Amino acid sequence: KAGVTQTPRYLIKTRGQQVTLSCSPISGHRSVSWYQQTPGQGLQFLFEYFSETQRNKGNFPGRFSGRQFSNSRSEMNVSTLELGDSALYLCASSFGQGYQETQYFGPGTRLLVL
Amino acid sequence: GQQVMQIPQYQHVQEGEDFTTYCNSSTTLSNIQWYKQRPGGHPVFLIQLVKSGEVKKQKRLTFQFGEAKKNSSLHITATQTTDVGTYFCAGFGLGSNYQLIWGAGTKLIIKP
């Protein structure tokens, strides 16, 4: 079974631009969660989508948004990029219907904002 | 909101020494999961504990879930260089709408 894939793997943008990141979950998984990871900051939860609906949301500004398609693929968008948005963005997938499910992470997209 | 505190943030050990990281939740958890992230990698699931007081072992790793299901620990005996990385705990709170709450992670560093 193919794992979680994320594209692109690396990205360089300048302040004020916007960016879209993509995540393809494991086949059959309907939940996709997004996390931001900066050095020494752990995993900061952005949001989770399940069956095309945002089910949970973290404490990030409205510049961070996401969506999920009918095939469970998900995208996240960051508008008006700031230097502080430089981070590793990870997505994780699961079936999303039980409290004993584990999350499977993709390799991440490393975003650098100049 | 619900929080999971994880300590310490970093631990430096000599190879062969033991390592322990602790997680404490502000509320009762339905279960606790542990993940490991190697340097430059992504978190990978290690194990899940579900029952109150549960203890599980994976070779040199021992995982415990507290009786009140609010705390957990991971202990590594005789660390090796392959153990280097950041260890995260994460749990589902009761009635949490399927949102995993993550600890901040403990970074294990082996002294040269």
Side-chain angles (χ1 to χ4, degrees):
Chain A
K1 191 184 264 190
V4 178
T5 58
Q6 290 187 247
T7 55
R9 293 292 311 278
Y10 304 92
L11 207 47
I12 300 176
K13 292 285 188 179
T14 55
R15 276 181 302 174
Q17 287 187 310
Q18 74 163 16
V19 67
T20 299
L21 311 181
S22 180
C23 173
S24 292
I26 290 172
S27 177
H29 284 187
R30 294 164 62 190
S31 168
V32 174
S33 297
W34 287 90
Y35 298 89
Q36 180 195 67
Q37 188 174 40
T38 51
Q41 289 298 315
L43 293 166
Q44 303 298 312
F45 174 72
L46 282 154
F47 30 65
E48 182 229 357
Y49 285 85
F50 177 76
S51 292
E52 302 180 65
T53 300
Q54 188 180 83
R55 185 163 65 176
N56 289 292
K57 187 178 187 307
N59 296 321
F60 276 80
R63 299 186 297 107
F64 293 83
S65 62
R67 59 177 176 169
Q68 187 179 34
F69 302 96
S70 58
N71 62 357
S72 293
R73 189 178 71 85
S74 178
E75 290 181 346
M76 68 162 279
N77 183 276
V78 189
S79 62
T80 320
L81 283 165
E82 300 177 359
L83 295 179
D85 296 333
S86 294
L88 178 66
Y89 290 87
L90 292 159
C91 77
S93 77
S94 69
F95 289 108
Q97 293 179 285
Y99 286 105
Q100 295 189 18
E101 295 181 21
T102 60
Q103 293 198 337
Y104 296 85
F105 284 81
T109 294
R110 195 166 293 278
L111 171 65
L112 177 61
V113 182
L114 302 176
Chain B
Q2 183 180 352
Q3 290 185 332
V4 173
M5 305 300 294
Q6 187 173 359
I7 57 169
Q9 188 175 3
Y10 301 93
Q11 189 164 0
H12 296 76
V13 300
Q14 298 275 7
E15 188 173 4
E17 291 183 337
D18 292 356
F19 162 85
T20 305
T21 173
Y22 301 90
C23 285
N24 256 299
S25 170
S26 57
T27 59
T28 304
L29 300 170
S30 63
N31 57 20
I32 190 106
Q33 301 176 0
W34 286 91
Y35 293 75
K36 176 183 178 182
Q37 183 176 23
R38 294 180 187 272
H42 56 274
V44 174
F45 172 76
L46 291 177
I47 207 163
Q48 176 170 248
L49 305 171
V50 179
K51 299 175 185 175
S52 169
E54 189 169 12
V55 178
K56 286 188 177 181
K57 293 192 175 186
Q58 286 181 349
K59 298 183 181 177
R60 295 176 293 103
L61 278 62
T62 301
F63 304 83
Q64 296 189 359
F65 199 14
E67 294 290 340
K69 301 184 76 173
K70 295 178 75 172
N71 55 65
S72 182
S73 65
L74 157 58
H75 181 83
I76 303 178
T77 304
T79 54
Q80 299 175 358
T81 55
T82 54
D83 297 324
V84 163
T86 302
Y87 293 84
F88 293 95
C89 64
F92 287 108
L94 298 178
S96 65
N97 198 29
Y98 305 106
Q99 181 179 345
L100 260 182
I101 307 300
W102 290 79
T106 296
K107 189 171 185 177
L108 170 58
I109 300 161
I110 304 280
K111 297 178 196 175

